[in-house]
Amino acid sequence: MEQARQVALITGGLSGIGLSAAIQMLERGVAVCVASTRAGTLEAKSTSASIDVAASAGKTDWLMCKLDVQDTASINNTVSRIANELGPINILVNSAGVYCHEPISRHDQEIWNISLAINLTGPFLMTRAVWPHMIKKGQGRIINIASTASHRGAENYAAYCASKAGLLGLTRVTALEGAGVGILANSISPSWVDTPMMAASLGSLAKTYSKSISSMYEEAKTSNPQKRIIAPQEIAQQIVWLALDAPVAITGEDILMTGGAIW
């Protein structure tokens, strides 16, 4: 009997962890929607070549959608397009995220609201939108990208830490509600990962502490017992395993990927 077609929606799919996950899933034969607010830009066009190569290797299809995870109309349009062009979604990777580096005493409320809207409310809205498609498919796999900061906290990152901590709670509730209908939900909490977001974050820290960006990179490396920065491809490997290969008993879990770091 032929295995049912696997269809994934990956938010934040044009860079970092999301892009790496998209490429690895395509190579495994999964049909993928790469979703991002930057779809249609020059950056998106330059990235399309590597996505095409992965899709060809996996003999599968892909599409790119402009998606704003804060906007329910944008979400619904994207989910409907995927269902029409690729089939019902059974894999959701909530990788889109933002950060801000501000102390609580001077924290801008609008930035706080945007951070929670993208990092926490966005995954909730995405989960709600794909749920009926997963029920129809009889299977669902939801992977949320959290952070070590959701466990330990990080000075001057109140909105980021709060939103990612909330994502852990959302993941557990999703797992409980999905347990009886074949939907699994897990999160991954990395430490420093070599992504554009990390580069921007270290740039902000460098300005705050009057240090060079290169010295901030060295500090990030030395905070990892393995003395290195984690590659986005490593996080993607874990995403793909959870989506395609993990036992069904693994749900409601948060998987730390830190190279041994405890922060």
Side-chain angles (χ1 to χ4, degrees):
M1 184 175 178
E2 186 177 349
Q3 187 177 10
R5 178 180 172 92
Q6 305 269 12
V7 178
L9 166 54
I10 301 177
T11 72
L14 277 177
S15 66
I17 293 169
L19 177 59
S20 293
I23 288 172
Q24 291 187 26
M25 282 200 193
L26 287 165
E27 291 172 342
R28 288 284 301 272
V30 178
V32 174
C33 172
V34 177
S36 172
T37 55
R38 296 192 294 272
T41 64
L42 289 176
E43 176 192 356
K45 292 178 181 177
S46 66
T47 305
S48 295
S50 60
I51 300 174
D52 273 330
V53 170
S56 296
K59 298 179 180 178
T60 188
D61 306 313
W62 74 281
L63 59 87
M64 187 181 295
C65 292
K66 188 174 180 63
L67 171 66
D68 181 354
V69 299
Q70 303 174 82
D71 184 349
T72 54
S74 176
I75 292 169
N76 291 336
N77 289 339
T78 298
V79 169
S80 295
R81 182 183 171 193
I82 296 166
N84 290 333
E85 298 187 28
L86 299 179
I89 299 162
N90 69 300
I91 299 168
L92 170 64
V93 180
N94 285 309
S95 182
V98 295
Y99 84 98
C100 63
H101 180 249
E102 292 186 342
I104 290 174
S105 60
R106 300 195 304 274
H107 207 304
D108 182 85
Q109 186 171 347
E110 183 177 357
I111 293 175
W112 170 275
N113 292 340
I114 291 171
S115 298
L116 266 68
I118 294 173
N119 294 349
L120 179 56
T121 304
F124 159 70
L125 295 174
M126 295 302 306
T127 297
R128 187 178 67 179
V130 303
W131 199 270
H133 296 260
M134 292 182 173
I135 295 293
K136 180 179 179 180
K137 196 91 171 245
Q139 181 201 61
R141 302 291 184 266
I142 299 171
I143 299 103
N144 295 320
I145 305 304
S147 169
T148 312
S150 64
H151 296 266
R152 306 293 299 183
E155 185 180 4
N156 296 323
Y157 286 93
Y160 184 78
C161 292
S163 60
K164 292 297 186 178
L167 192 56
L168 299 184
L170 175 63
T171 301
R172 296 185 189 109
V173 172
T174 304
L176 289 171
E177 294 190 15
V181 290
I183 298 174
L184 312 182
N186 294 285
S187 59
I188 300 172
S189 286
S191 55
W192 288 116
V193 181
D194 193 7
T195 65
M197 183 182 289
M198 175 185 170
S201 181
L202 292 183
S204 293
L205 288 172
K207 289 181 181 179
T208 298
Y209 299 113
S210 300
K211 296 182 178 180
S212 67
I213 294 178
S214 61
S215 70
M216 296 304 304
Y217 264 93
E218 285 304 311
E219 287 185 27
K221 286 173 65 175
T222 55
S223 72
N224 183 326
Q226 296 177 338
K227 307 305 178 190
R228 67 188 186 91
I229 304 298
I230 296 169
Q233 291 82 358
E234 296 175 77
I235 311 303
Q237 285 179 308
Q238 185 63 63
I239 292 170
V240 172
W241 182 76
L242 287 170
L244 302 178
D245 302 320
V248 294
I250 298 180
T251 190
E253 298 293 336
D254 179 65
I255 299 172
L256 289 163
M257 295 187 68
T258 67
I262 61 172
W263 67 269

